[in-house]
Amino acid sequence: MIDRPFIKVWRDGAVGHIELNRPEAFNALNRQMMSAIVGALQTFDEDAETAVVVISGAGRAFAAGADIDEMAGDDPVRLEMVDPFAVWDQIRLIRKPLLAAVHGFALGGGFELALSCDLIFAAENTQFGFPEVKLGVMPGAGGTVKLTKALGRHKALEWLWTGARMTAEEACAHGLVNRVVPADNLMEVAMKMARKLSEQAPLSLRLIKETVNQAADLALYEAMLIERKNFYLLFASEDQKEGMAAFREKRKPVFKGR
Ligand code: CAA
C-alpha cells in the first residue's frame, strides 16, 4: 500500500491498517489528512484481499481533534465552499468493518473519527472529550448528535457544555467504546478481533453492518424490513450454502465472499 500524507497504510494478511502519523501535533486532523484517511479506506473497501480495517494513532494520541491552526482563520463562506466535513460522510459508506484502536487522546474530531468506526477498542489511558466549547465552537463531524443518541440529552449537554474529558472506563460505561484494554496490549487485542472478523463470511459482515446502520436511524418496523430483505438476499450467496454445509459436515467453512 502507498503511504499518503500524514498517514501510514499497510495490509497484514486480511487486515488493512491505517495509522494516523502526525505525532508532533497529536495527530491533529487537517483536511489533507482526512482526505488521505478516507482515500485509504475507500482503497481497502475495494481491495479483495482486505476484510477489515484497523485505524490507530502513532505517538502519544489517537487524535487531538481537527487542526486548530488550519481552522483558526476560517469564515462561514469559506467553510460552506470547502465543506470540510463532506469528506467525513464518505466513512459511513465504507462497507467493511472498521475498528478504531485508540489511546492517549481522542478529542473533538479525533473522538468523532473513532465514533465513525464500527468498533472502538480503547487503551486504559485514553481520554475522550469534546473540548470545542473551549475554542468557541462546537463539534461539527457528528459528535453532538452521536453523543446525544448514546447518552441522552441531559448527559450529552453536560459533556458538551463543559468540554470535560471522560476516561476510557466512563466512555465504555456510556456504551461509546466496546472494550478497554491495557495500553501495552491494545494493538494485539485489536488485531485479534480484526483477524476473527476476517474469518467470517464477508457478505454477512457487510449486510449486518448495513442493517445495523439503518436500525440506528430508522423506525423499528422499517429497519426490520431491511433486515428481512438482507436475510433473504444472503440465501443467494455461495457462502450461505458453504456455511450451512460446513456446519452439517462438522468442518470449518471456507468463505469466498460470493
Ligand atoms: N490542532 C492543531 N495542533 C494541535 C492540536 C490540534 N487539535 N492539538 C495539539 N496540537 C499541537 C499543539 O499546538 C502543539 O504544537 P507545538 O508543539 O507546535 O506548540 C503540539 O500539538 C503539542 O500540544 P501541547 O503542547 O498542547 O501538548 P499538551 O501535552 O500540553 O496537551 C492536548 C495535549 C491536551 C491534546 C492539547 O494539545 C489540546 O488540548 N489540544 C487541542 C484539543 C482540542 O481542542 N480539540 C478539538 C479541536 S476542534 C474540532 O475537532 C472540531 C470538530 O468537530 C472536527
Side-chain angles (χ1 to χ4, degrees), residues 22-26 28-29 60 64-69 71 85 88 105 107-110 112 130-132 135 137-141 165:
R22 207 187 160 205
E24 69 287 357
F26 285 91
L29 302 161
R60 287 183 289 157
D67 187 336
I68 297 167
D69 294 331
M71 284 183 295
F85 293 128
W88 291 68
F105 297 105
L107 302 175
E112 287 169 316
F130 287 111
E132 286 87 344
L135 301 168
V137 289
M138 61 181 283
R165 293 190 203 145

Coordinates of all heavy atoms in Angstrom, one line a residue, residues 22-26 28-29 60 64-69 71 85 88 105 107-110 112 130-132 135 137-141 165, ligand 1:
R22 N 1.0 12.0 12.5 CA 1.4 13.4 12.7 C 1.7 13.6 14.2 O 1.0 14.4 14.8 CB 0.3 14.3 12.2 CG 0.7 15.6 11.7 CD -0.5 16.5 11.4 NE -0.1 17.8 11.3 CZ -0.9 18.9 11.6 NH1 -2.2 18.7 11.8 NH2 -0.4 20.1 11.5
P23 N 2.5 12.7 14.7 CA 2.7 12.7 16.2 C 3.1 14.0 16.8 O 2.7 14.3 18.0 CB 3.7 11.6 16.4 CG 4.4 11.4 15.1 CD 3.5 11.8 14.1
E24 N 3.8 14.9 16.1 CA 4.2 16.1 16.6 C 3.1 17.1 17.0 O 3.2 18.0 17.8 CB 5.3 16.8 15.7 CG 4.7 17.4 14.4 CD 4.4 16.3 13.3 OE1 4.6 15.1 13.6 OE2 3.9 16.7 12.3
A25 N 1.9 16.8 16.4 CA 0.7 17.6 16.7 C -0.4 16.7 17.2 O -1.6 17.0 17.0 CB 0.2 18.3 15.4
F26 N -0.1 15.7 17.9 CA -1.0 14.7 18.5 C -2.0 14.2 17.4 O -3.2 14.1 17.6 CB -1.8 15.4 19.6 CG -1.0 15.5 20.9 CD1 -0.2 16.6 21.2 CD2 -1.0 14.4 21.8 CE1 0.5 16.7 22.4 CE2 -0.2 14.5 23.0 CZ 0.5 15.6 23.3
A28 N -3.4 15.8 15.0 CA -4.5 16.7 14.7 C -4.8 16.5 13.2 O -3.9 16.5 12.3 CB -4.0 18.2 14.9
L29 N -6.1 16.5 12.9 CA -6.6 16.1 11.6 C -6.8 17.3 10.7 O -7.8 18.0 10.9 CB -8.0 15.4 11.8 CG -7.9 14.1 12.7 CD1 -9.4 13.8 13.2 CD2 -7.3 12.9 12.0
R60 N 1.7 9.7 21.0 CA 1.0 9.8 22.3 C -0.5 9.9 22.2 O -1.1 10.0 23.3 CB 1.6 10.9 23.1 CG 3.0 10.7 23.6 CD 3.5 11.8 24.5 NE 3.7 13.0 23.7 CZ 3.8 14.2 24.1 NH1 3.5 14.4 25.4 NH2 4.0 15.3 23.4
A64 N -6.0 14.5 18.5 CA -6.4 15.5 19.4 C -7.4 16.5 18.7 O -7.5 17.7 19.1 CB -5.3 16.3 20.0
G65 N -8.1 16.0 17.7 CA -9.1 16.8 17.1 C -8.7 17.3 15.7 O -7.7 17.0 15.2
A66 N -9.6 18.1 15.2 CA -9.3 18.8 13.9 C -8.2 19.8 14.1 O -7.9 20.2 15.3 CB -10.6 19.5 13.4
D67 N -7.5 20.1 13.1 CA -6.3 21.0 13.2 C -6.8 22.5 13.4 O -7.4 23.1 12.6 CB -5.6 20.9 11.8 CG -4.2 21.7 11.9 OD1 -4.1 22.6 12.8 OD2 -3.3 21.3 11.2
I68 N -6.5 22.9 14.6 CA -7.0 24.2 15.1 C -6.2 25.3 14.3 O -6.8 26.4 13.9 CB -6.7 24.4 16.6 CG1 -7.6 23.4 17.4 CG2 -7.1 25.8 17.0 CD1 -7.3 23.3 18.8
D69 N -5.0 25.1 14.0 CA -4.2 26.1 13.2 C -4.9 26.3 11.8 O -5.0 27.4 11.3 CB -2.8 25.7 12.9 CG -2.0 25.6 14.3 OD1 -2.4 26.4 15.2 OD2 -1.1 24.8 14.4
M71 N -8.0 25.8 11.1 CA -9.4 26.3 11.2 C -9.5 27.8 11.6 O -10.5 28.4 11.4 CB -10.2 25.5 12.2 CG -10.7 24.2 11.8 SD -11.7 23.4 13.1 CE -10.5 23.2 14.4
F85 N -16.4 18.9 6.1 CA -17.0 17.7 6.7 C -17.6 16.8 5.7 O -17.9 15.7 6.1 CB -18.0 18.1 7.8 CG -17.4 18.8 9.0 CD1 -17.9 20.0 9.5 CD2 -16.3 18.2 9.6 CE1 -17.3 20.6 10.6 CE2 -15.7 18.9 10.7 CZ -16.2 20.1 11.2
W88 N -15.9 13.5 5.5 CA -16.2 12.6 6.6 C -17.4 11.7 6.3 O -17.5 10.5 6.8 CB -16.5 13.4 7.9 CG -15.4 14.1 8.5 CD1 -14.8 15.2 8.0 CD2 -14.7 13.8 9.8 NE1 -13.8 15.6 8.9 CE2 -13.7 14.8 10.0 CE3 -14.9 12.8 10.8 CZ2 -12.9 14.8 11.1 CZ3 -14.1 12.9 11.9 CH2 -13.1 13.9 12.0
F105 N -5.2 10.5 23.6 CA -6.3 11.5 23.5 C -7.1 11.1 22.2 O -6.6 10.8 21.2 CB -5.8 12.9 23.3 CG -5.0 13.4 24.4 CD1 -3.6 13.6 24.4 CD2 -5.7 13.8 25.6 CE1 -2.9 14.0 25.5 CE2 -5.0 14.3 26.7 CZ -3.6 14.4 26.7
L107 N -10.0 13.4 21.1 CA -10.7 14.7 21.4 C -11.3 15.3 20.2 O -10.7 15.1 19.1 CB -9.7 15.7 22.0 CG -9.0 15.3 23.3 CD1 -8.0 16.3 23.7 CD2 -10.0 15.0 24.4
G108 N -12.4 15.9 20.3 CA -13.1 16.6 19.2 C -13.2 15.7 18.0 O -13.7 14.6 18.0
G109 N -12.6 16.2 16.9 CA -12.6 15.4 15.6 C -12.0 14.0 15.8 O -12.3 13.1 15.1
G110 N -11.1 13.9 16.7 CA -10.4 12.6 17.0 C -11.4 11.6 17.6 O -11.5 10.4 17.2
E112 N -14.7 12.0 17.1 CA -15.6 11.8 16.0 C -15.1 10.8 15.0 O -15.9 10.0 14.5 CB -15.9 13.1 15.3 CG -16.8 14.0 16.2 CD -16.9 15.5 15.7 OE1 -15.9 16.0 15.3 OE2 -18.0 16.0 15.7
F130 N -15.1 16.3 24.1 CA -15.4 17.3 23.1 C -15.1 18.7 23.6 O -15.9 19.4 24.2 CB -16.9 17.2 22.7 CG -17.2 16.0 21.8 CD1 -17.9 15.0 22.3 CD2 -16.6 15.9 20.5 CE1 -18.2 13.9 21.5 CE2 -16.9 14.8 19.7 CZ -17.7 13.8 20.2
P131 N -13.8 19.2 23.5 CA -13.4 20.4 24.1 C -13.7 21.6 23.2 O -13.3 22.8 23.5 CB -11.9 20.3 24.2 CG -11.5 19.3 23.1 CD -12.7 18.4 22.8
E132 N -14.5 21.4 22.1 CA -14.8 22.5 21.2 C -15.3 23.8 21.9 O -15.0 24.9 21.5 CB -15.7 22.1 20.1 CG -15.1 21.2 19.1 CD -15.2 19.7 19.4 OE1 -15.4 19.4 20.6 OE2 -15.0 18.9 18.5
L135 N -13.0 26.4 22.6 CA -12.5 27.2 21.5 C -13.5 28.1 20.9 O -13.3 28.7 19.8 CB -12.0 26.2 20.4 CG -11.0 25.1 20.8 CD1 -10.9 24.1 19.7 CD2 -9.6 25.8 21.0
V137 N -16.4 27.0 19.6 CA -17.1 26.4 18.5 C -17.9 25.2 19.1 O -18.2 25.2 20.3 CB -16.2 26.0 17.4 CG1 -15.7 27.2 16.6 CG2 -15.0 25.1 17.9
M138 N -18.2 24.2 18.3 CA -18.9 23.0 18.8 C -18.5 21.9 17.8 O -17.9 22.1 16.8 CB -20.4 23.2 18.7 CG -20.9 23.5 17.4 SD -22.7 23.8 17.4 CE -23.3 22.1 17.5
P139 N -18.8 20.6 18.2 CA -18.4 19.5 17.3 C -19.1 19.7 15.9 O -20.3 20.2 15.9 CB -18.9 18.3 18.0 CG -19.0 18.7 19.4 CD -19.3 20.1 19.5
G140 N -18.5 19.3 14.9 CA -19.1 19.5 13.5 C -19.1 18.3 12.7 O -19.7 18.3 11.6
A141 N -18.5 17.2 13.2 CA -18.5 16.0 12.4 C -19.3 14.9 13.0 O -18.9 13.7 13.0 CB -17.0 15.5 12.1
R165 N -13.2 15.9 30.0 CA -12.7 14.7 29.4 C -13.2 13.5 30.1 O -13.3 13.5 31.4 CB -11.2 14.7 29.4 CG -10.6 15.7 28.5 CD -9.1 15.5 28.4 NE -8.5 16.7 28.0 CZ -7.3 17.1 28.5 NH1 -6.6 16.3 29.2 NH2 -6.8 18.3 28.1
Ligands
CAA1 N1 -4.8 21.2 16.3 C1 -3.5 21.7 16.0 N2 -2.5 21.5 16.8 C2 -2.6 20.7 17.9 C3 -3.9 20.2 18.2 C4 -5.0 20.5 17.4 N3 -6.2 20.0 17.6 N4 -3.7 19.5 19.4 C5 -2.4 19.6 19.7 N5 -1.8 20.3 18.8 C6 -0.3 20.7 18.8 C7 -0.1 21.9 19.7 O1 -0.4 23.1 19.1 C8 1.4 21.7 20.0 O2 2.1 22.2 18.9 P1 3.6 22.9 19.1 O3 4.5 21.9 19.7 O4 3.9 23.3 17.7 O5 3.3 24.1 20.0 C9 1.6 20.2 20.0 O6 0.4 19.6 19.3 C10 1.6 19.6 21.4 O7 0.5 20.1 22.1 P2 0.5 20.7 23.6 O8 1.8 21.5 23.7 O9 -0.8 21.4 23.8 O10 0.6 19.4 24.4 P3 0.0 19.0 25.9 O11 0.5 17.7 26.3 O12 0.2 20.2 26.8 O13 -1.6 18.9 25.6 C11 -3.6 18.2 24.4 C12 -2.1 17.9 24.8 C13 -4.5 18.0 25.7 C14 -4.1 17.2 23.4 C15 -3.7 19.7 23.9 O14 -2.8 19.8 22.8 C16 -5.0 20.1 23.4 O15 -5.9 20.4 24.2 N6 -5.3 20.1 22.1 C17 -6.4 20.6 21.4 C18 -7.7 19.7 21.6 C19 -8.9 20.3 21.0 O16 -9.3 21.3 21.4 N7 -9.5 19.5 20.0 C20 -10.7 20.0 19.4 C21 -10.4 20.6 18.1 S1 -11.8 21.3 17.2 C22 -12.5 20.0 16.5 O17 -12.1 18.9 16.5 C23 -13.8 20.3 15.7 C24 -14.5 19.2 15.0 O18 -15.6 18.8 15.4 C25 -13.9 18.5 13.9

